[in-house]
Amino acid sequence: MLKVLRPALSRLLTPAGHALARMGVTPNVITVVGTIGVVGGALAIYPRGELFWGTVLITVFVLFDMLDGAVARVTGGGTTWGAFLDSTLDRVADAAIFAGLILWLAGKGDDLPLAVLALYCLISGALVSYAKARAEGLGLTCDVGIAERGERILVVLVGIGLDGLGVPYALVVGLWLLAAASTVTVVQRVAVVRRQAVSKAVSGGAAEDAGRPDPAAGAEGAENRSW
């Protein structure tokens, strides 16, 4: 859903990417610093109930983390190691955000049902990412889905931040929306991978049959040779 904004966002971040590159800052450094900031903000501030200010700090580091791609582009592209590091630390940051929220809800927030819902959002979000990674590891494509990481982070941070400002039902609505969207995305990805896998299996079977000698033809040839 946020894919349409990526070209404009890329142009917006390019000047900052040039500035950081001139300073010698690498994409991997940005990734690590951004993740540390998100994890620190989520686990140190959310459990204390400071949901709004925690969200402000986390948002700053999330935006900072987006600069790794800009720096990579202006310095000639990213590396395989950088891509792996970025994806792995994204999972760490996501887990920290939900862990901090769950600690608050299950503790002083005194809302166990909402804590369980937040846990479901964490698990379903991890499944969304895993489904794509596993499919690509098998040589398939899996780019479908209404709730990729950008959408999930946006929904949960908006819900948490508004709840911190005292907006009624903001967190409840945000988590239910996120849970539904993540579930739909998992189903979408499972379905598209299944279609590709079945098609690949059928194509492979047809190719194998095409290369296999026809028994009838072989029998006919043997009969002709007998004459």
Side-chain angles (χ1 to χ4, degrees):
M1 294 171 63
L2 295 179
K3 289 180 180 179
V4 294
L5 299 178
R6 288 179 183 173
L9 188 60
S10 175
R11 290 192 297 270
L12 182 65
L13 295 177
T14 296
H18 279 291
L20 289 171
R22 287 194 297 269
M23 295 168 59
V25 179
T26 67
N28 292 346
V29 169
I30 294 173
T31 298
V32 171
V33 171
T35 302
I36 291 174
V38 171
V39 171
L43 297 182
I45 301 178
Y46 276 173
R48 295 162 50 190
E50 298 288 342
L51 300 186
F52 175 73
W53 292 112
T55 300
V56 170
L57 179 62
I58 290 170
T59 301
V60 169
F61 281 103
V62 167
L63 294 175
F64 177 77
D65 185 52
M66 295 173 64
L67 290 170
D68 59 357
V71 174
R73 285 191 298 272
V74 301
T75 54
T79 63
T80 301
W81 163 243
F84 171 82
L85 181 68
D86 185 57
S87 295
T88 301
L89 293 187
D90 280 350
R91 306 290 83 75
V92 173
D94 294 352
I97 291 172
F98 283 100
L101 178 62
I102 291 168
L103 287 173
W104 161 249
L105 292 173
K108 294 181 179 180
D110 194 25
D111 196 335
L112 188 56
L114 205 55
V116 173
L117 180 59
L119 179 60
Y120 177 82
C121 290
L122 171 59
I123 295 171
S124 59
L127 284 175
V128 169
S129 299
Y130 176 80
K132 180 175 182 178
R134 183 59 176 150
E136 291 177 346
L138 294 172
L140 306 174
T141 58
C142 190
D143 293 327
V144 300
I146 61 173
E148 295 188 348
R149 182 177 185 262
E151 289 84 355
R152 298 197 307 273
I153 291 295
L154 177 63
V155 170
V156 72
L157 289 181
V158 169
I160 296 173
L162 291 178
D163 185 80
L165 289 174
V167 178
Y169 306 110
L171 184 57
V172 175
V173 172
L175 289 179
W176 275 112
L177 177 62
L178 183 58
S182 297
T183 301
V184 170
T185 301
V186 171
V187 173
Q188 287 177 307
R189 292 189 170 183
V190 169
V192 76
V193 169
R194 183 181 184 280
R195 283 197 298 269
Q196 292 178 72
V198 170
S199 177
K200 187 176 181 179
V202 171
S203 299
E208 184 179 347
D209 289 342
R212 184 182 301 144
D214 187 346
E220 182 180 349
E223 184 179 351
N224 289 337
R225 282 195 301 273
S226 68
W227 284 93

